Structure formats: C-alpha cells, structure tokens
Amino acid sequence: MDTSPPVLIQAMRCEPVGRTPVWFMRQAGRSLPEYRALRGGGSILEAVADPELAAELTLQPVRRYGVDAAILFSDIVVPLVAIGVGIEVQPGRGPVLDQRFSSDDDVGRLRPLEPESDLPAMLDTIRIVLHETDVPLIGFAGAPFTLASYLVEGGPSRTFALTKRLMHAEPEAWHRLLGAIAQISLASLRAQILAGASAVQLFDSWVGALSRAEYEEFALPASRTILEGLADLAAPRIHFGVGTGELLAPMAAAGADVLGVDWRVPLDVAAARAAGSAPGKLALQGNLDPAICLAPTDVVLEATDSVLGAARQLPGHVFNLGHGVLPETDPGVLKAIVEHVHERTEQQ
Ligand code: 1CP
C-alpha cells in the first residue's frame, strides 16, 4: 500500500513530487451545469446548512476536473452568521449586513465561536466528504482584514473607504475588531482540521487595497495570530490575497507554508519578493489569470505553460488560478488545464 502523503501535501511541504498538483479557487460553482442543477435558486447559506448537499457540491469538481484537492463548499461569512451576525449572501452581489459595524461598541456583537455547536453542518460536511473521496480536502476561512471589510462596509466595496476610516481614526477599535475576528477564524480552521481537512487556506481577498505600511500595522498581526495558532497541527497553511504584489514579503513572514499569488506577478518574481521573509521553505500557489480561461484552449494552455515555466525553480508549486473561476468559464477548459499540468510535470 502506498502510504506517501497526497501530492498536494508533498508540494505544500516542498517535498519532491511525482507531478505538480492542481486545484482551482471557486472550482465549485456556476460554471458547472451539475452545480446549477443541484443548487437551484436557494441561498448559499441554505446550501451550506445541508451537509449532504454541501458535500455533493464539494465533490462535483473533483469528479469533473480530476483536480488534486477538494475545497469545502462554504463561504467566509459562515462562522460570522453562526454566531448571530445578520448577514445575507445575495446572489450576484455577495455578503450584505442588516446593520453594519461602525464603532467600538459593535465589536461586542462578535462572541467567541464554539465550532462543535455553532458549525455542526460544516463539520458534518467534512466528515461526509472524507468518507466519499481520497482526494485531500482543503478547509478555509476569511482573513481578519477581508472579513472586517464586509462588517464595516456592510457589503462588497470597491474603495474600502469606511474600513480605512475606522482603521486610521479609531485604531484601538480596529485592532479589537480584528483580534475578535482572528479568534473566530482560528477556531473555525482548527475545527476543520480536527474534523479531517488536510490543508487550509486563509483568504485575504481584498487586502491588496492596503499599502505595505498599512498592511504591516493593521492586517498582518491578526493574520499571523491565525496562521501561528495552527502551527501545532500537521495541516499545511496557504495564505492568499489579490493585488498583493507590494505585500508578498510581509505576507510570506506571516507564518504560512504556502503563499498564494494572483496573476499580476509571475511566480519567479513573487519568489524573489518573498525570499528571506519566510522562516523556512515557502511553496507558492498560482497563478493563471482566470480571465485567460475564457480564451480558446490553445491560448489557455500556452499561458499555463508560462506559469509552469515561471514555477520551475520553486521548492514547491501548487498550480491554481490567480483568483476564483469566473462563472462563464467552460468546464472543458479547466479539465484541459488539469490534464496539461499533470502531463507536463510528470516525473519519469
Ligand atoms: O448563491 C451563490 O451561489 C452565490 C455565490 C457564492 C458561492 C458559490 C458566494 C457568495 N460564495 C460561494 C462559495 C464560496 N465562497 C466558496 C466555495 C468553495 C469553492 O472554492 O469552490 C469559497 C472558497 C468562498 C470564499 C469567499 N467568499 C471569498 C474568498 C474567495 C475569493 O473569491 O476571493 C470571498 C471574498 C467571499 C465573499 C463572497 N461570497 C459570495 C460572493 C459573491 C462573495 C464576493 C463578494 C465581493 O465581491 O465582495
């Protein structure tokens, strides 16, 4: 019996791999006809509250694409909803609060998360997925900055003006807010790993809105609390954000095993920017532009080769897109990428 860890975990630990592992952020979703058929018109929060359904939505892309990882079907706001924050996830828009956070008093609306009683459906989903597949499951949580941005803006934002106002005008309230969110995301990730997730990803999707100095003062400490709070568990940790070209060095120092890179910075350049910041070896994840996946397949596979070329000297590489799959993506293109990456990187 082969007892070596899955190729995803080997790559994340910078160990030798038989081939480069591949998965896609937002691989479950509207680009899959079987997803649309199963989801129907209900809210995503209803879907994640149904473990059988959430497990099936987690497994659909594994079957269709032959990816090297499943990612839990959930959302970054699920733990906040579980502790009673009034959030609706509106189709086509995203998370919207019934009452946004505007002052220090609002931090009191965040009580500690008790995963076994607050997130039973999420933990049951993980257990069902493990029973159904040998492919490793990635759990995830929102990073404090990105979650705080939804709480403070009251919904998706382009400027993050209210978030930055709070950060600069009331730094103590800001740090209390981020500290409370960090404990919630940490508790959720620990529970996901203990339930069987093989790796986790901390999504700081919108942190690219910050300057490096702002990142180091206002976002990094709470993200580090989460990543270092998982250090005693065996599951490798991925740290990802969008528009983070200027933040790669401090992000690499936050305590993750893998740094997720968006499509704007080639992976060899990203590695040079991160060099010397991480305490040990750092694997990179990424970074094909999701919009390129809308082009003809030969163009997509050429772009895939450029990503593989830029990753050639890395100690560890997990192939992914630079952000989530766009809904209009042809599933056949994603399947072709998986096969191509596997073929091109297969060790003789
Ligand atoms: O009803 C629906 O179908 C709404 C669409 C949808 C889906 C399918 C949302 C609303 N969330 C999800 C699932 C989801 N969310 C997953 C599923 C697992 C997979 O990858 O296949 C994951 C990993 C997330 C994480 C998530 N939610 C992030 C981080 C990842 C990223 O894309 O940067 C963020 C920022 C969110 C918030 C969110 N939830 C939904 C939307 C449309 C958004 C973004 C809104 C915005 O622009 O601010």
Side-chain angles (χ1 to χ4, degrees):
M1 204 177 99
D2 183 6
T3 53
S4 53
V7 65
L8 174 83
I9 304 301
Q10 291 175 318
M12 294 175 82
R13 291 185 185 145
C14 297
E15 292 169 1
V17 289
R19 55 173 160 78
T20 298
V22 196
W23 68 281
F24 302 115
M25 290 183 274
R26 297 293 302 273
Q27 62 191 18
R30 278 190 292 157
S31 55
L32 284 179
E34 60 268 35
Y35 172 91
R36 291 194 294 268
L38 199 59
R39 267 292 310 280
S43 144
I44 182 179
L45 295 178
E46 286 165 29
V48 304
D50 177 346
E52 294 287 344
L53 175 60
E56 181 56 24
L57 293 169
T58 302
L59 291 164
Q60 282 180 341
V62 175
R63 296 191 198 108
R64 162 81 79 145
Y65 300 131
V67 278
D68 296 287
I71 176 154
L72 181 68
F73 189 80
S74 184
D75 192 80
I76 57 169
V77 298
V78 165
L80 298 175
V81 174
I83 59 163
V85 183
I87 303 176
E88 196 193 331
V89 181
Q90 295 180 359
R93 178 146 185 240
V96 177
L97 268 79
D98 58 12
Q99 219 189 337
R100 73 174 198 88
F101 283 44
S102 57
S103 73
D104 197 39
D105 293 343
D106 286 313
V107 182
R109 291 162 62 190
L110 298 178
R111 68 157 170 84
L113 179 78
E114 291 169 24
E116 291 296 334
S117 49
D118 291 326
L119 296 173
M122 181 191 270
L123 301 178
D124 281 346
T125 303
I126 294 173
R127 294 180 191 115
I128 297 170
V129 170
L130 292 188
H131 191 72
E132 301 272 319
T133 184
D134 293 331
V135 169
L137 176 68
I138 299 175
F140 69 91
F145 174 83
T146 289
L147 284 175
S149 79
Y150 287 112
L151 297 180
V152 176
E153 303 289 335
S157 170
R158 270 186 302 155
T159 60
F160 302 95
L162 297 171
T163 311
K164 290 192 187 183
R165 189 209 66 82
L166 182 68
M167 181 187 286
H168 288 285
E170 299 181 57
E172 282 178 18
W174 173 262
H175 284 296
R176 269 198 346 114
L177 176 62
L178 263 70
I181 298 172
Q183 291 308 321
I184 292 165
S185 288
L186 175 58
S188 172
L189 290 173
R190 289 191 69 88
Q192 291 175 54
I193 295 168
L194 294 174
S198 297
V200 288
Q201 176 154 322
L202 190 63
F203 277 101
D204 212 349
S205 303
W206 312 133
V207 79
L210 299 183
S211 69
R212 178 168 175 160
E214 285 174 320
Y215 179 73
E216 290 179 337
E217 185 174 350
F218 296 111
L220 176 61
S223 291
R224 180 180 278 135
T225 298
I226 299 172
L227 293 164
E228 290 184 349
L230 302 169
D232 60 313
L233 302 175
R237 300 149 290 177
I238 311 164
H239 189 192
F240 168 77
V242 181
T244 54
E246 298 298 324
L247 308 179
L248 292 172
M251 283 181 76
D257 305 282
V258 184
L259 184 60
V261 181
D262 84 1
W263 64 91
R264 293 173 177 89
V265 184
L267 291 178
D268 51 344
V269 177
R273 290 186 189 177
S277 297
K281 278 188 182 172
L282 186 70
L284 296 187
Q285 175 175 281
N287 68 345
L288 180 66
D289 187 339
I292 292 184
C293 297
L294 307 183
T297 307
D298 57 329
V299 176
V300 178
L301 296 185
E302 216 171 289
T304 300
D305 282 335
S306 311
V307 172
L308 292 175
R312 205 167 289 137
Q313 305 293 329
L314 301 178
H317 178 218
V318 177
F319 190 96
N320 205 316
L321 305 182
H323 197 187
V325 172
L326 296 170
E328 46 287 52
T329 308
D330 172 357
V333 168
L334 297 182
K335 191 168 163 52
I337 294 171
V338 174
E339 286 168 359
H340 189 77
V341 171
H342 285 167
E343 273 166 27
R344 282 295 158 105
T345 61
E346 193 90 58
Q347 303 296 313
Q348 302 310 321

